[in-house]
Amino acid sequence: MQVALERSTSKPSISELSCQALSVSIAGRELVRDLNVNFEPGSVIAILGRNGAGKTLTLHTLAGLRSTQAGEVRLGTESLAAWPRRTLARSLGLLTQTTEDAFPSTVLDAVLVGRHPHIGFWDWESDQDRRIALEALAAVQLQGFELREVSTLSGGERRRVAIAALLTQSPEVYLLDEPINHLDPHHQIDILNLLRTKAADGHSVIMTLHDAALAARFADFALLLFGNGAWHYGPKHEVLTAEMMTKLYGLPVREVKWEEGMTFVMGEDGGGDGVTRSEEEQTRPF
């Protein structure tokens, strides 16, 4: 059973994350050119693209971890560069694609790291901080794990600990790089539902995904990165189409709809080997 984080009686005032004429490059290769997007609070935004298209680099740039080659990222009315780092950490939270355990720690201690931007330099975690951390663990179905050593957890459990630490940080804007990595299908759906509740509370949730069907199910908007500077952004029903998925991934894609949503099936042509494959061999879930 999924346990939701305690909600306030009124929605918080959330600053809007936006970028103007943003370019992202690496090793002389321009991956994203002149990106202009306002990430509206209260929305889930999925970033999709092939491996190496710049999804992670773009997310890190939006988080202020990388300097921009051109353009600007703003939170509210101020450039990220103008925000004091500690203040920014209270408003902007990033889940990286991989996490490392630098020191042995319990699960609760690992999750309480998310409270550091809210705690004075010489202060210890308060009972309220611990309550927030325990609520976050319950939200990712790890209640009762607080005294376990992180080193004893599975990969999926560690991923949920990292998500709990981000929830404990309580940012206005959530940036998540492949949040469902290492999770089984049951926990994938639970985490994506949890992120939808954060958007319903007024937060911005921006995440990279590989699964276009899950993006179609859980996102409000989609940002497609083509890896050559080109990008496409808009409401999911306009962006997540068979035509755009075919262009994005370089494989023929069919869209399959039913009453509760849609998914994509990608096929393979002959592949240039002169072999005609059966319909079952030519299609597989996207």
Side-chain angles (χ1 to χ4, degrees), residues 17 37-48 59 62 173-176 195-196 199 203-209 215 218-224 232-234 236:
L17 185 71
V37 175
N38 296 329
F39 299 103
E40 183 177 350
S43 300
V44 175
I45 298 97
I47 304 177
L48 294 94
L59 203 68
L62 292 175
V173 179
Y174 289 79
L175 301 170
L176 305 103
L195 294 175
R196 277 240 53 100
H203 298 268
S204 300
V205 177
I206 305 166
M207 58 182 173
T208 66
L209 287 174
F218 289 97
D220 302 298
F221 298 89
L223 172 62
L224 308 184
H232 188 61
Y233 179 79
K236 68 177 181 182

Side-chain angles (χ1 to χ4, degrees), residues 13 45 50 65 68 76 83 133 141 150 164 180 192 270 284:
S13 176
I45 298 97
R50 300 187 199 184
L65 296 184
T68 62
W83 283 72
Q141 300 181 30
V150 173
I180 57 177
L192 292 172
R284 60 180 183 269

Side-chain angles (χ1 to χ4, degrees), residues 97-98 155-157 159 178-184 188:
Q97 193 169 134
T98 59
E157 289 167 341
R159 191 61 173 162
E178 295 293 340
I180 57 177
N181 266 4
H182 307 298
L183 300 185
D184 59 45
Q188 288 183 7

Side-chain angles (χ1 to χ4, degrees), residues 22-34 69-70 227-230:
L22 178 66
S23 293
V24 178
S25 301
I26 190 168
R29 179 185 169 202
E30 187 175 43
L31 299 172
V32 182
R33 181 186 315 113
D34 293 335
Q69 276 68 45
N228 60 356

Side-chain angles (χ1 to χ4, degrees), residues 14 17 24 26 38 40 48-49 73 84 90 117 120 134 172 175 188 211 213 220 225 229 254 262 270 273 277:
I14 304 298
L17 185 71
V24 178
I26 190 168
N38 296 329
E40 183 177 350
L48 294 94
V73 180
R90 296 174 189 151
L134 291 172
E172 297 179 3
L175 301 170
Q188 288 183 7
D211 192 322
D220 302 298
L225 302 181
R254 289 191 294 124
M262 65 177 178
D273 55 9
R277 298 179 172 87

